[in-house]
Amino acid sequence: MKWVGYAAGGALIVLGLAGLALEGVLIGWALWFGGVLVVHDALLAPGVAAAGTVIGRWPRSLRTALILAATLVLATLPTVLALGRRADNPSILPLSYGVNLVIVLAAITLLAVGDHLLSASRKD
């Protein structure tokens, strides 16, 4: 039964690649995808490994807050930088995403500090 899934997945990959080739964007897509792989393997993975080594012995609440904050910043960076915003269409990215990001990061910080203080008081 798993071979049916493999065959269907392979067929969808071929269909997608054929669509990219027919649109004439296959080379551009391949370069972009290759760039993503290089950035991941050369920067992101070693950076995460180094950060894990550095914060491995820190309190759980602080580690959790840092992981949440880093994930949130990475996920929202395109909107904070207003990538895709156009003057002719004000409905694209209409909010102040940088301010909203700071608010959410402040909430994560407050919750982490509160959790750390609560867990420290339980140990006493």
Side-chain angles (χ1 to χ4, degrees):
M1 186 63 177
K2 67 180 175 181
W3 293 105
V4 173
Y6 293 154
L12 288 173
I13 290 171
V14 169
L15 180 66
L17 290 173
L20 288 172
L22 289 174
E23 292 289 322
V25 295
L26 185 59
I27 299 299
W29 181 85
L31 289 173
W32 180 86
F33 190 71
V36 167
L37 291 176
V38 168
V39 167
H40 176 273
D41 290 349
L43 299 175
L44 188 61
V48 169
T53 302
V54 170
I55 69 170
R57 296 185 187 266
W58 291 4
R60 180 186 50 83
S61 56
L62 182 56
R63 286 191 318 246
T64 303
L66 285 174
I67 291 168
L68 284 173
T71 303
L72 181 68
V73 168
L74 275 175
T76 60
L77 197 57
T79 55
V80 170
L81 296 176
L83 300 177
R85 183 176 286 164
R86 295 188 341 226
D88 63 336
N89 188 351
S91 67
I92 298 175
L93 300 173
L95 302 176
S96 178
Y97 297 99
V99 172
N100 294 339
L101 176 62
V102 169
I103 291 169
V104 174
L105 290 175
I108 290 172
T109 302
L110 289 174
L111 289 170
V113 168
D115 182 57
H116 180 69
L117 292 175
L118 281 173
S119 64
S121 69
R122 287 184 200 137
K123 290 179 183 177
D124 292 337

